[in-house]
Amino acid sequence: MARKATTKKPSDKKNYELFNRNTQAFIYNMQVNATQRMLDFDYAAGREKTSVAAIVNPTGGESLQKFFFGPKEVLIPVYKSLKKAADKHKNVDVMISFASFRSAAQSAREAFEIPQLRTIVLIAEGVPERQMRLINAQAKKLGKVIIGPATVGGVKAGAFKIGNTGGTIENIIESKLHRSGSVGFVSKSGGLSNEAYNIISRNTDGLYEGIAIGGDRYPGSTLLDHLLRYEQDPNVKMLVCLGEVGGTDEYEVVEALETKKITKPLVMWVTGTCSKAFKTEVQFGHAGAKADAETETADAKNAALKKAGAIVPNSFDDYAEKIDKTFNKLVKQKVITPAPEVEAPAIPLDLNKALSAGIVRKPASFISTISDDRGEELMYGHMSISEVFKKDIGVGGVLSILWFKKLLPSYATKFIDMVIMVTADHGPAVSGAHNTIVAARAGKDLISSLVSGLLCIGPRFGGALDGAAQQFSDAFDKELTPQEFVNSMKQKGVNIQGIGHRIKSIHNPDMRVIIIKNYVKKHFKTTALLDYALEVEKLTTSKRDNLILNVDGIIGICFVDLLRSEFIKEEADEYIQMGALNGLFVLGRSIGFMGHYLDQKRLKQGLYRHPWDDIAYLME
Ligand code: ACO
Ligand code: LMR
């Protein structure tokens, strides 16, 4: 159950308190993942508002960035400057700078200019030592707290998490960081901090706050700085610390123990004892992790700490045991009342992460079985675009793959090429071309003029391919004689699709039809339906010269013969019922309509207005 956030304002913070459940931060540099991890922590900790107030992105534009806050989405503003962010969000007193080692010091200096910013976290590794020493001196003078550089940050359990501290949200909940415990922890190493949080969660009632000060030689704040904060904080009942070979920070802790500045039980271990196994001094991962003198060795420090009263294990192996024993002793002494377990709310998984991990599956919104652009090469069906050209399959081949999902034999792909060629245009007088021309002359663009022409395609003009294929194949399959077919259509009062032409006739044959007919008769595997249609044409032209098999008819009917040669009948008939064939006329005639558009533009033709004398005004 989410606990109510305190109403404390930053200024209400005690001087030992850096973070609470109300704390909000600026993220310096566009760090989407780190920001989302902080918001996931916020949700798990039951915070009512996000711990990130804004992102400062000096190299980018201002915007609103979407993030998840639990299952909901929230918008986080992005500003170009820290000053503008501070002007807009006066309650923010923490800045987490992800600036690189080149500009980390600069980002700290910008923060120094903003009084409300009290805690500055520098994540970058490799910040020049001289720059850090100047930054640390200035921060001290201004009373600001620096955490870092070269750190992952830290966490106030159940209240505020810096950046990527603690790793995944699953680990954070596993380490009970979503709710407050009794242990104050500080180390140099971010990685060892996460390990320590885990050890603390398993051997005590959990972490209260953990800080990784970073492994550089001149950290902005020291192990002792944070241990003294915990010493003052009544919520912290025991201290745990991990020191490191190299440097002398740990002797400040020795002195604090000796002078009773630290009185709370302190379990502490200095890592790097293995260095004695090497003949020469060893430089460990952190810049500061190298003993330049005997006193800087891990063994010397552990011995000094033990002598001063710290609880020092014999090795890292029994570090957990010491923590456990110390915690239970404090519970027995009633110094600690173990914090209750708090069930963390379920954090929804990011869909993309869950999908790539195979944890969830979702039905695709779209299905495509004809092409795939995801790989190295565009695929038409199973053929790569380079193969398309290597095998020279032509437009007909590409159409056969993309429309009919297989590369048809060359006689068929050649036929498709011919269909596109013969339907490409039939002069400016046909209805579709007329509309395209009128639209072009009205100043419309190419696509609008093309569409204007295409909208004329229908049962009387260019849109009879499917009708012809359906009517003729239906009659043929029902074994109607051509005469029975013609009579039945007459009785229904329905024009036979694919028959008739406004200007072509048996005395003025359509060469396009002849070209197609001759090719089909020569190359097709069967011409059963064409032969049937030619018998029908004999009957219709005996009635009227212009009732010829027209270009729509010849193409639609021959395509039935083609489909029934290359597919099983059910599949062929499905394409006929689907209405695929009118697409051939649309494809072809688009070439001509666009030609007419370009022609009109080239001719700079003005607005077309139909002449009055060509309109019969029959007003009553
Ligand atoms: N089937 C049967 N009878 C027809 C057909 C036909 N396809 N077409 C015309 N007729 C008859 C009409 O019923 C009418 O008979 P009626 O005088 O006894 O009433 C007579 O012929 C004249 O009809 P109209 O529509 O005036 O003839 P028109 O020459 O204008 O028709 C058209 C041309 C529109 C193409 C017509 O033949 C038709 O609708 N055909 C079917 C659709 C078709 O195939 N369109 C594609 C044309 S090609 C292309 O666009 C690329
Ligand atoms: C065409 O292809 O547009 C024609 O067959 C129709 C026509 O009227 O010429």
Side-chain angles (χ1 to χ4, degrees):
M1 182 190 68
R3 281 157 296 151
K4 290 292 285 171
T6 55
T7 51
K8 280 200 292 187
K9 290 189 290 302
S11 50
D12 297 352
K13 278 177 178 164
K14 303 279 184 300
N15 62 355
Y16 52 74
E17 185 185 54
L18 299 183
F19 315 110
N20 61 38
R21 284 171 62 80
N22 248 355
T23 300
Q24 285 199 302
F26 295 135
I27 300 292
Y28 191 99
N29 268 11
M30 184 57 85
Q31 289 289 318
V32 171
N33 291 336
T35 302
Q36 185 56 67
R37 287 189 190 113
M38 288 178 70
L39 268 55
D40 285 346
F41 171 85
D42 298 341
Y43 184 74
R47 279 181 59 126
E48 291 192 342
K49 63 180 178 178
T50 63
S51 58
V52 176
I55 294 171
V56 175
N57 188 21
T59 57
E62 303 214 339
S63 64
L64 286 167
Q65 193 78 22
K66 254 193 332 167
F67 290 94
F68 282 112
F69 187 61
K72 291 197 313 248
E73 288 188 287
V74 293
L75 291 174
I76 302 273
V78 180
Y79 301 98
K80 272 186 82 65
S81 77
L82 195 55
K83 181 167 182 338
K84 183 161 184 191
D87 290 345
K88 297 274 187 183
H89 305 270
K90 297 200 180 309
N91 68 310
V92 172
D93 65 349
V94 176
M95 180 190 84
I96 302 169
S97 170
F98 286 88
S100 72
F101 70 92
R102 289 183 197 84
S103 45
Q106 172 52 34
S107 68
R109 282 191 287 274
E110 282 179 43
F112 290 159
E113 301 299 313
I114 297 167
Q116 72 187 67
L117 293 178
R118 178 175 165 243
T119 304
I120 297 151
V121 185
L122 302 177
I123 304 291
E125 300 215 8
V127 179
E129 291 183 354
R130 184 175 176 286
Q131 286 185 21
M132 268 323 296
R133 297 177 74 172
L134 290 171
I135 289 294
N136 293 343
Q138 207 173 347
K140 211 172 193 73
K141 208 166 18 173
L142 294 168
K144 295 184 187 281
V145 177
I146 300 269
I147 296 174
T151 180
V152 72
V155 56
K156 176 123 184 217
F160 183 86
K161 180 174 89 83
I162 299 169
N164 298 309
T165 299
T168 64
I169 191 66
E170 291 78 15
N171 188 58
I172 282 165
I173 293 169
E174 173 80 22
S175 304
K176 303 180 192 168
L177 298 178
H178 63 289
R179 83 314 168 258
S180 184
S182 311
V183 180
F185 174 81
V186 61
S187 88
K188 290 184 175 177
S189 155
L192 279 178
S193 296
N194 290 344
E195 175 62 28
Y197 299 151
N198 214 281
I199 292 170
I200 288 166
S201 71
R202 281 186 280 111
N203 294 283
T204 70
D205 66 344
L207 186 81
Y208 175 76
E209 181 179 305
I211 296 292
I213 63 167
D216 277 11
R217 192 170 290 282
Y218 301 101
S221 49
T222 65
L223 298 175
L224 180 61
D225 289 337
H226 297 290
L227 289 174
L228 291 178
R229 284 194 310 109
Y230 300 150
E231 177 69 21
Q232 295 173 62
D233 190 329
N235 299 302
V236 176
K237 308 298 185 192
M238 66 182 274
L239 313 179
V240 177
C241 181
L242 267 178
E244 205 169 75
V245 59
T248 58
D249 291 3
E250 292 76 1
Y251 289 103
E252 292 176 354
V253 180
V254 171
E255 196 264 338
L257 286 165
E258 289 166 345
T259 56
K260 304 298 177 204
K261 286 196 199 107
I262 293 177
T263 59
K264 294 180 181 174
L266 165 62
V267 181
M268 186 160 175
W269 176 250
V270 177
T271 61
T273 50
C274 63
S275 60
K276 59 179 173 291
F278 301 95
K279 290 196 175 40
T280 57
E281 274 317 312
V282 176
Q283 170 71 56
F284 288 87
H286 287 140
K290 178 172 174 295
D292 291 332
E294 177 50 32
T295 52
E296 292 187 14
T297 63
D299 284 337
K301 292 178 178 180
N302 282 322
L305 284 161
K306 195 167 192 166
K307 189 161 172 266
I311 301 154
V312 180
N314 297 321
S315 74
F316 189 74
D317 295 346
D318 54 340
Y319 187 57
E321 187 194 330
K322 292 292 184 193
I323 292 170
D324 177 67
K325 281 199 171 121
T326 306
F327 173 75
N328 286 312
K329 189 174 164 194
L330 290 168
V331 171
K332 271 204 194 83
Q333 293 167 350
K334 302 209 181 310
V335 173
I336 292 179
T337 306
E341 285 313 327
V342 174
E343 180 84 20
I347 303 282
L349 268 174
D350 285 349
L351 180 61
N352 292 337
K353 279 190 196 136
L355 280 170
S356 49
I359 300 168
V360 294
R361 61 189 179 198
K362 78 174 187 63
S365 311
F366 275 112
I367 300 172
S368 169
T369 65
I370 61 168
S371 63
D372 187 340
D373 62 323
R374 295 171 301 173
E376 248 175 63
E377 268 204 75
L378 168 63
M379 297 297 288
Y380 289 163
H382 300 291
M383 191 177 279
S384 70
I385 191 68
S386 45
E387 264 183 289
V388 163
F389 287 92
K390 212 178 293 169
K391 293 185 174 167
D392 192 19
I393 64 171
V395 173
V398 168
L399 184 145
S400 75
I401 293 171
L402 294 179
W403 284 28
F404 303 105
K405 287 190 63 177
K406 70 179 185 183
L407 180 57
L408 292 168
S410 55
Y411 82 86
T413 59
K414 169 81 182 141
F415 171 69
I416 293 168
D417 286 340
M418 290 171 68
V419 164
I420 293 168
M421 292 159 77
V422 300
T423 55
D425 196 58
H426 205 234
V430 302
S431 52
H434 174 93
N435 276 20
T436 292
I437 290 167
V438 171
R441 292 184 57 173
K444 297 296 281 182
D445 62 42
L446 177 134
I447 293 172
S448 307
S449 304
L450 167 62
V451 167
S452 164
L454 291 177
L455 288 174
C456 282
I457 295 174
R460 294 182 182 156
F461 163 70
L465 288 83
D466 287 313
Q470 287 152 9
Q471 289 178 356
F472 279 83
S473 59
D474 184 49
F476 181 80
D477 293 347
K478 286 178 181 158
E479 297 180 0
L480 297 183
T481 65
Q483 189 61 65
E484 286 166 341
F485 170 48
V486 170
N487 295 344
S488 69
M489 298 305 278
K490 187 76 185 164
Q491 273 149 16
K492 284 187 254 178
V494 173
N495 276 357
I496 302 170
Q497 294 291 291
I499 291 287
H501 200 279
R502 191 37 80 79
I503 51 166
K504 294 297 179 185
S505 68
I506 43 177
H507 308 300
N508 168 27
D510 191 332
M511 184 47 75
R512 299 172 296 172
V513 173
I514 296 167
I515 291 166
I516 292 289
K517 185 165 51 176
N518 291 343
Y519 178 85
V520 167
K521 282 198 162 298
K522 191 170 173 200
H523 297 280
F524 270 36
K525 292 175 183 170
T526 169
T527 58
L529 200 66
L530 173 59
D531 299 341
Y532 181 81
L534 292 173
E535 292 307 310
V536 170
E537 184 187 38
K538 285 179 190 161
L539 298 171
T540 53
T541 47
S542 66
K543 210 183 102 189
R544 279 175 177 271
D545 296 351
N546 74 316
L547 295 186
I548 55 164
L549 189 59
N550 58 40
V551 75
D552 281 15
I554 190 84
I555 294 169
I557 287 157
C558 293
F559 225 99
V560 173
D561 281 331
L562 187 157
L563 290 171
R564 287 184 170 178
S565 305
E566 300 301 333
F567 295 86
I568 57 167
K569 188 171 180 306
E570 289 68 26
E571 211 175 338
D573 291 353
E574 188 186 3
Y575 282 119
I576 294 163
Q577 295 313 319
M578 209 183 278
L581 304 182
N582 282 348
L584 293 164
F585 188 91
V586 169
L587 185 63
R589 193 51 59 95
S590 293
I591 298 169
F593 288 173
M594 285 187 267
H596 286 295
Y597 168 83
L598 296 171
D599 198 28
Q600 296 305 314
K601 291 297 176 188
R602 203 171 25 239
L603 296 166
K604 296 187 176 42
Q605 289 298 290
L607 181 65
Y608 173 77
R609 194 179 195 282
H610 203 76
W612 281 335
D613 60 11
D614 190 31
I615 297 171
Y617 290 93
L618 305 177
M619 319 285 277
E620 291 304 319

